[in-house]
Amino acid sequence: MAPHLTPVDDPAGEFRAQIAADRRRTRNKVLAALGLVVLLAVAALVATSYFDAERVIAAERPRTDPIKAQYCKILDAENARPEQSAPPGTSAVAPTKVTVPDAIRLLGFFAPDYDNISRENPRGNADAIELGEIAWLCGDRSGHFAPDLLFSNFTKLYDGDAVKRYQRKGAQRLATAVTRLAYVVVARKKKFVRSAVNGENTLQPGHYTAQVMLYRLADAALMAEVTVDEDAPGIAALYLHQNRFGSGSPDEISAGLDGSTRLAFEATVQRLFKERGVDLALGYEDK
């Protein structure tokens, strides 16, 4: 008769097997988690590379650096010629007619850090800039230049602090738009006093004195020039959020008067250039 084998319980062996199984499950979970981390890291790296505005702008340097070089030539041309002064009581140099073949229109309003509010002008062929900002662009980086009269789109591509906040799409859009630049409107600011509230309902008009030049970008050639020396209008229309007392905050009023003074300056410049036969518009809309 064959021997009959009766199973013998082995609690220690079962415990060891359970520990081994638990270790395998733990190892698999750790490997799966590490794989997910690696996958997410690669995805983040790809996304950062794709959405990084700084990379976009760096890739556009072969197109934008030659444009920057022309701005610097304009700066050299301005520094080499004497400043003009308007005769007392006048607003401009004698309105001799000049020939400028194109209508001068700004590229539009670009907000690369929040691109969905940008408003590009399809007819845009010009940038507007103050002479001090060209000096900043071309090497005087002692501090960021704060313009009062004219605001440049081109210099946004070289503002390292601002670029970090840009969206990739906005950076691409602006970098493409500046390749259409054919003219630069340059202001040599001499005096700019903003309009201000004097008392409760009295407006103290601002004043602006500046030379404003139209340059052709391709060869840094001066096309036309006017000299502005005027007070801002004595009436200003402001759009404010009323507080419970029925008036706007002092900061809002100040900002609104800043804008109205600058718009009055733009209107004066446009009128003076028109007297010289130049179709120039400094607003952002297609006109």
Side-chain angles (χ1 to χ4, degrees):
M1 182 176 177
H4 178 71
L5 299 178
T6 302
V8 179
D9 291 338
D10 185 7
E14 290 182 1
F15 181 70
R16 286 193 295 271
Q18 183 65 40
I19 290 178
D22 289 343
R23 286 176 175 173
R24 285 195 298 272
R25 283 194 293 269
T26 301
R27 184 173 62 250
N28 292 339
K29 289 180 180 179
V30 169
L31 290 175
L34 288 175
L36 180 60
V37 168
V38 171
L39 181 62
L40 290 175
V42 171
L45 183 62
V46 171
T48 300
S49 176
Y50 182 79
F51 291 104
D52 187 1
E54 291 180 272
R55 290 177 181 267
V56 170
I57 292 175
E60 293 291 341
R61 286 287 186 252
R63 291 203 296 175
T64 61
D65 280 350
I67 299 173
K68 176 185 173 182
Q70 293 306 110
Y71 274 73
C72 298
K73 288 182 179 179
I74 291 172
L75 176 66
D76 292 340
E78 275 299 305
N79 288 337
R81 69 189 197 100
E83 296 185 30
Q84 303 292 324
S85 299
T90 66
S91 297
V93 295
T96 304
K97 295 291 183 180
V98 296
T99 301
V100 177
D102 304 314
I104 310 303
R105 300 290 182 267
L106 300 189
L107 291 177
F109 171 70
F110 286 85
D113 54 340
Y114 193 52
D115 185 59
N116 61 346
I117 65 172
S118 296
R119 295 195 309 276
E120 185 173 354
N121 185 346
R123 298 175 61 200
N125 60 359
D127 190 27
I129 190 171
E130 292 186 25
L131 191 63
E133 192 163 14
I134 304 182
W136 173 85
L137 174 68
C138 295
D140 181 13
R141 300 299 183 97
S142 56
H144 195 289
F145 183 83
D148 292 308
L149 302 174
L150 299 179
F151 295 84
S152 169
N153 271 314
F154 183 74
T155 56
K156 294 176 182 178
L157 296 174
Y158 288 86
D159 186 345
D161 293 334
V163 165
K164 297 175 183 177
R165 303 190 300 270
Y166 287 175
Q167 298 176 1
R168 180 178 185 274
K169 180 181 176 181
Q172 279 186 321
R173 189 176 180 183
L174 178 55
T176 299
V178 299
T179 62
R180 305 201 317 264
L181 287 175
Y183 299 94
V184 182
V185 181
V186 181
R188 183 191 289 270
K189 178 176 61 183
K190 299 180 180 179
K191 181 180 180 182
F192 180 72
V193 179
R194 298 166 178 81
S195 299
V197 174
N198 186 10
E200 291 190 6
N201 297 308
T202 304
L203 179 68
Q204 179 64 43
H207 188 91
Y208 30 78
T209 304
Q211 288 173 254
V212 184
M213 291 69 64
L214 175 64
Y215 274 90
R216 186 170 56 210
L217 186 63
D219 55 358
L222 179 63
M223 306 293 289
E225 175 185 9
V226 297
T227 301
V228 182
D229 187 3
E230 287 191 2
D231 287 332
I235 298 175
L238 305 180
Y239 297 91
L240 306 169
H241 293 93
Q242 288 189 347
N243 58 27
R244 60 178 179 167
F245 303 107
S247 60
S249 70
D251 288 343
E252 276 195 319
I253 293 172
S254 177
L257 288 174
D258 285 356
S260 69
T261 307
R262 181 173 55 81
L263 290 173
F265 169 79
E266 291 178 358
T268 302
V269 171
Q270 290 172 193
R271 171 176 56 81
L272 295 175
F273 270 103
K274 186 175 182 180
E275 291 174 1
R276 305 203 64 191
V278 180
D279 180 10
L280 180 150
L282 291 176
Y284 288 126
E285 302 299 329
D286 190 8
K287 298 177 181 179

